[in-house]
Amino acid sequence: MNYSSFRFIDTKDALSLKFKGELTLYNLTLYQKQVEGAFFSKEKKIILDLSELEFIDTAGALFLNNLQKKLHTKKVQFEIDCKHQDVLAMLLLVQKQSLTTSAVQKKKKRNYIEKLGENSYKNYLSFLSFLAFMGELFMHKLHYLFSFKSIRYKEMAFEINESAIKAFGIIALTSFLIGVVIAYQSSVQLKQYGANIFIVDMLGLSVLRELSPLITAIVIAGRSGSAFTAQIGAMKITQELEAMQTMGFDPFRFLVLPKIAALMLTMPIMIFVSDVMAIIGGMVVANLDLGITVDMFLDRFSNVIAVRHFLVGIFKGPFFAFLIAAIAIYRGLLVKDDTQSIGFNTTKSVVESIFAVIICDAVFSIAFTNLGI
Amino acid sequence: MENIIKVKGVKTEFDDRVIHKNISLSVPKGSIYGLLGPSGCGKTTLLKEMVMLQEFHGGTIEVLGKSLKNISYDDAMSLRRQWGVLFQMGALFSSLSIRDNIALPLVEYTDLSEAMISEIVAFKINIVGLKASDAHLYPSQISGGMKKKAALARALAMDPKLLFLDEPTSGLDPISSRDFDALILKLRDLLGLTIVMVSHDLRSIYDTLDYAAVLDDKKVVYEGNLDNIFSVENNFIKTFFSGVQR
C-alpha cells in the first residue's frame, strides 16, 4: 500500500513540510532530495508537519534530526507538529542517542611508501619469527636426542602411515607418467641421430639425480605439508594447542617432532619408489618406441649409471622433508583466530615449501657438481 | 589465610595498546575467586598470564609459590601438573574420545595400569555428571554443556589443587548454568580446590564466588568479597551489579 507522500505547503508566513504515511529507509532518499533542493529563508517559519505520519524508522528519524540541526545552525525558526506517540518516541530516542554517538572515523589511507615500509618490516619480523621457530625446534631436537624414552613412537608411526605410506600410490603414478613423458620427448630427438641407446644414460641421470627427489618433494608438499598446516591451524583455533600447553604436553614433542621425523625417515623411501617407477615408465617407452628391450636397457643401465647418482638423489630426501615439514608446521602455528587464515597459511605453506625445496635443490646441485660427485 | 596466587604490579601491552597498567591481586587458598569486568578489560588475558600462555611485561605473578617470570623448565612442568584449565569452548582434543581426553594426562604422566586409569576416568566422568555411556563419543558428537563437563573432567584428571575456568557458564542454558555452578561448589567442597574463574554470569557470580576482583580501565578497581562491592564508585559495578538483588 503506497499511501506515503511528501510535499511542501507554502503559506504566507510559513513553509510547511508535510510528511504523510510512512517515513522509512525505502522512501527516504526521494524526500531527502526534495528537501535538500529547497531553500529555507530566515524570514519564513518552517513547520515539520508530522501530524499525518504514522510510522517512522530510525533512518527517517535520523534524517529529521539532521534537518533540525541544519535549521538550527542556519538560525531558521522551526517547529514540529506531531501528536503520534510512537513517532515522537522514535525522534526522542534518536535525538538522545545522537548526543553520545561519535562518527566512525574513516580508515586512514596510507601512501605507497608507508605501505612498502610496513610490508618490509612485517616480512622482516616474519623472517625473525621463522628463525625463532627453527631455534626452538633445534633445542627440542637436542633435548630428545639424549632421551630416547620421550620419543613419541606411536605418533610417529601414525604420521608415517598418514603422510608417507598413503602417498605411495600418487607418487608412483606421477613418477611413472613423468618417466614416460621424458622418455617419449627425448626419443624423438635421439632417433634422428640413431642414438637410441643413450635414452638410458639420459633417463638414468636426470631421474635419479634430480627429477625423482623433486617430484616426490612437490607431491608431498602439496599433499602432506598442506595437511600439517591445516591440522595444526585448526587445533590452534579450537584452543587445543593451548589446552595441551597448560596440561604440560609440549606441542613440539607431541605434534611437531613426530611429523618432522616421520617425513625425514620416509622421504628417502618415497624417492626410491619414485626412482623405480620413473625408470619403468622410461623403459616402457624405450621398448615400444625405440626398440630397446628390457634386457638391453638394464644392461646399459648398470654399465653407465654409477651408484652415486642414485645416492645423491636419496641424500636430498631428508633435507627436503625437513624443509617441507618445518615450513608447514610453522605456517600452522601462525594461524590466527579466524578461519580465513587457515586457507591463507595453507596456501603459503605449499608455495613456500616448494620454493624452499627448489632453492635447496639448486644449492645441492652446485655443491655436488663442484665436489665432482 | 595463605595466598595461592599473588599478582603484583602486572603490566601488559600488545604493540602500543596497554591492556593492564598495574594489576595486583591475591587469591586465598580454598576460595572461589572471580575475575570480573567489562568486555575487553583483559580478564582472559590475565587468566592466560597466570597459566603461562601469555607473556606479561612488568610486575610479578606467583602461582603456588613459584614466580612465573624466568621460571625453569622443570618448575613450569610441575606447575602444569598441579593445575587444571577449563577453556571457554572446552578445547577437547577433537581426535580423541571423551574417555581418552580424560585419560590422556594420566597415561602420559603416570605409570598407572590401564584398569586403574579406566576406573579413575569413570570416577571423573561421574563426578562431573556425565553418563558413562557417553564416554566413547567424540567431542564433535556431544552438546555444548557436555563438552564443558567433559573438559572439566579432563581438567580434574590429575587432581589439581588449582582450577582455572574461563567463562564456565557461557553458552549454556540457564538450567545447565545453575547445575554447573552447583557442580563447581560441590567440587570445591569435595576436593578442596582453589578456583579462579572469569565470568559474566551474574547469577553464577553471586552463587559461587567468595571473592572477586573487578578489572576496569586497565587496573583493579575493587578486590574483596561481594558484600562490599558498592563501596567503590565505578560505572561498571553500578550497572552490572545493580540489576539483581541478592
Side-chain angles (χ1 to χ4, degrees):
Chain A
M1 198 162 62
N2 194 5
Y3 55 87
S4 307
S5 70
F6 165 72
R7 61 200 162 97
F8 290 104
I9 301 170
D10 210 348
T11 54
K12 204 175 169 192
D13 50 324
L15 178 66
S16 148
L17 279 62
K18 191 166 178 62
F19 294 91
K20 201 173 154 190
E22 294 185 351
L23 178 58
T24 62
L25 288 170
Y26 305 103
N27 53 20
L28 183 64
T29 321
L30 190 71
Y31 300 167
Q32 199 170 13
K33 272 186 197 145
Q34 293 179 42
V35 171
E36 270 164 14
F39 171 75
F40 301 112
S41 71
K42 279 186 193 174
E43 282 74 40
K44 265 190 183 171
K45 200 162 126 189
I46 306 288
I47 300 170
L48 294 174
D49 185 357
L50 311 178
S51 53
E52 285 179 58
L53 194 64
E54 273 154 25
F55 177 76
I56 188 166
D57 66 359
T58 44
L62 269 174
F63 162 66
L64 287 185
N65 195 42
N66 289 342
L67 184 63
Q68 288 177 48
K69 270 193 209 157
K70 201 168 120 192
L71 294 176
H72 194 77
T73 47
K74 278 189 179 173
K75 293 187 176 129
V76 181
Q77 270 198 324
F78 68 94
E79 66 182 42
I80 298 173
D81 178 11
C82 176
K83 282 174 194 69
H84 200 294
Q85 279 306 321
D86 292 350
V87 173
L88 276 177
M90 180 59 86
L91 283 177
L92 200 67
L93 172 77
V94 167
Q95 206 172 12
K96 225 173 153 185
Q97 283 293 322
S98 73
L99 292 178
T100 53
T101 313
S102 50
V104 179
Q105 294 278 316
K106 263 193 189 157
K107 230 180 162 183
K108 226 173 71 185
K109 268 193 183 169
R110 281 168 304 189
N111 61 28
Y112 287 109
I113 297 174
E114 235 178 313
K115 274 185 199 160
L116 183 74
E118 194 185 318
N119 283 339
S120 336
Y121 186 62
K122 270 187 187 157
N123 282 332
Y124 170 69
L125 284 186
S126 73
F127 177 68
L128 283 190
S129 84
F130 183 67
L131 287 187
F133 169 76
M134 289 302 237
E136 206 173 338
L137 190 62
F138 186 68
M139 284 310 294
H140 282 267
K141 273 205 160 166
L142 274 189
H143 192 79
Y144 294 114
L145 217 55
F146 299 111
S147 56
F148 287 103
K149 222 175 71 188
S150 53
I151 294 176
R152 310 287 307 179
Y153 296 105
K154 212 176 110 198
E155 274 80 5
M156 225 154 90
F158 177 79
E159 290 301 338
I160 286 176
N161 185 38
E162 277 300 309
S163 52
I165 293 178
K166 286 187 180 170
F168 276 146
I170 186 73
I171 287 173
L173 182 64
T174 326
S175 308
F176 179 79
L177 290 176
I178 292 282
V180 167
V181 170
I182 300 277
Y184 191 72
Q185 289 297 325
S186 30
S187 73
V188 179
Q189 309 296 324
L190 290 172
K191 251 194 275 182
Q192 289 177 356
Y193 300 99
N196 291 14
I197 193 69
F198 285 102
I199 187 88
V200 180
D201 304 42
M202 224 204 72
L203 263 182
L205 271 179
S206 61
V207 165
L208 293 188
R209 280 188 81 109
E210 295 293 337
L211 286 175
S212 275
L214 271 183
I215 292 164
T216 314
I218 288 170
V219 170
I220 289 299
R223 189 192 169 281
S224 309
S226 57
F228 288 174
T229 311
Q231 189 207 345
I232 291 186
M235 287 185 81
K236 201 163 173 208
I237 288 185
T238 54
Q239 286 189 307
E240 283 177 50
L241 284 185
E242 292 188 344
M244 285 180 86
Q245 264 168 300
T246 55
M247 291 162 82
F249 300 152
D250 191 351
F252 270 87
R253 195 177 121 212
F254 278 73
L255 291 172
V256 178
L257 286 179
K259 285 184 166 58
I260 291 182
L263 265 199
M264 283 178 79
L265 281 179
T266 48
M267 195 68 145
I269 305 171
M270 289 189 276
I271 291 176
F272 175 69
V273 171
S274 166
D275 282 344
V276 172
M277 291 311 290
I279 296 294
I280 290 178
M283 213 146 59
V284 169
V285 171
N287 199 351
L288 295 177
D289 202 33
L290 297 171
I292 298 171
T293 61
V294 172
D295 278 348
M296 268 163 80
F297 191 99
L298 290 180
D299 195 38
R300 172 85 185 165
F301 196 88
S302 59
N303 280 339
V304 294
I305 307 295
V307 184
R308 64 186 159 91
H309 299 307
F310 168 70
L311 291 180
V312 162
I314 297 290
F315 176 77
K316 290 175 182 172
F319 292 91
F320 290 178
F322 177 77
L323 284 174
I324 292 169
I327 290 175
I329 291 163
Y330 167 71
R331 277 286 162 194
L333 292 174
L334 277 194
V335 168
K336 302 238 169 49
D337 288 347
D338 61 289
T339 42
Q340 206 185 359
S341 78
I342 290 192
F344 173 79
N345 279 302
T346 311
T347 314
K348 276 259 177 185
S349 133
V350 175
V351 172
E352 281 173 1
S353 49
I354 290 177
F355 181 67
V357 161
I358 289 173
I359 295 225
C360 179
D361 191 52
V363 171
F364 274 137
S365 197
I366 294 167
F368 288 143
T369 310
N370 284 337
L371 288 171
I373 301 175
Chain B
M1 213 187 307
E2 192 191 343
N3 287 328
I4 226 163
I5 299 177
K6 282 177 234 163
V7 177
K8 275 199 201 96
V10 162
K11 206 174 114 190
T12 314
E13 302 162 321
F14 293 143
D15 296 330
D16 45 1
R17 213 155 49 90
V18 179
I19 307 292
H20 302 138
K21 236 180 212 160
N22 186 6
I23 300 269
S24 297
L25 47 89
S26 42
V27 179
K29 195 175 176 181
S31 65
I32 300 183
Y33 193 96
L35 294 173
L36 317 175
S39 318
C41 72
K43 304 179 293 285
T44 302
T45 309
L46 186 62
L47 193 79
K48 280 188 173 182
E49 285 169 354
M50 289 177 186
V51 295
M52 295 192 281
L53 284 176
Q54 171 75 51
E55 280 181 35
F56 48 96
H57 306 99
T60 56
I61 297 181
E62 217 179 288
V63 179
L64 294 164
K66 301 218 172 73
S67 170
L68 299 189
K69 200 124 215 180
N70 301 324
I71 190 167
S72 76
Y73 179 78
D74 291 336
D75 280 352
M77 287 308 278
S78 87
L79 264 187
R80 286 182 177 129
R81 287 176 207 192
Q82 291 177 61
W83 68 43
V85 184
L86 171 64
F87 287 89
Q88 204 170 345
M89 310 303 287
L92 291 164
F93 300 126
S94 43
S95 55
L96 302 176
S97 67
I98 294 180
R99 188 230 165 246
D100 291 343
N101 260 294
I102 302 169
L104 186 67
L106 298 165
V107 173
E108 292 302 327
Y109 286 137
T110 65
D111 47 7
L112 294 170
S113 67
E114 191 68 20
M116 190 65 218
I117 288 177
S118 291
E119 214 167 298
I120 296 174
V121 169
F123 173 76
K124 305 284 170 181
I125 285 181
N126 185 41
I127 205 173
V128 298
L130 284 172
K131 285 197 254 1
S133 53
D134 300 330
H136 290 289
L137 295 175
Y138 283 85
S140 55
Q141 297 169 315
I142 60 178
S143 72
M146 283 165 78
K147 265 184 208 165
K148 291 232 157 145
K149 284 179 182 171
L152 185 63
R154 187 183 67 183
L156 292 171
M158 297 288 288
D159 283 328
K161 296 186 185 123
L162 184 55
L163 192 60
F164 293 96
L165 311 173
D166 189 0
E167 303 207 18
T169 54
S170 79
L172 296 184
D173 65 89
I175 297 169
S176 310
S177 301
R178 299 296 78 81
D179 286 350
F180 207 90
D181 291 343
L183 177 63
I184 288 169
L185 282 171
K186 185 177 94 180
L187 288 174
R188 193 265 305 259
D189 297 339
L190 280 180
L191 307 172
L193 296 168
T194 306
I195 298 174
V196 177
M197 65 189 235
V198 168
S199 184
H200 279 304
D201 184 342
L202 202 53
R203 269 253 65 94
S204 129
I205 288 170
Y206 273 128
D207 284 351
T208 57
L209 294 190
D210 301 321
Y211 302 98
V214 180
L215 272 61
D216 194 10
D217 198 22
K218 296 159 194 163
K219 50 186 186 284
V220 178
V221 292
Y222 176 79
E223 190 189 7
N225 60 17
L226 291 171
D227 300 332
N228 304 326
I229 192 100
F230 288 111
S231 63
V232 284
E233 190 67 18
N234 178 274
N235 255 336
F236 170 75
I237 292 179
K238 224 186 266 169
T239 46
F240 189 73
F241 285 97
S242 57
V244 166
Q245 297 294 314
R246 275 196 90 163

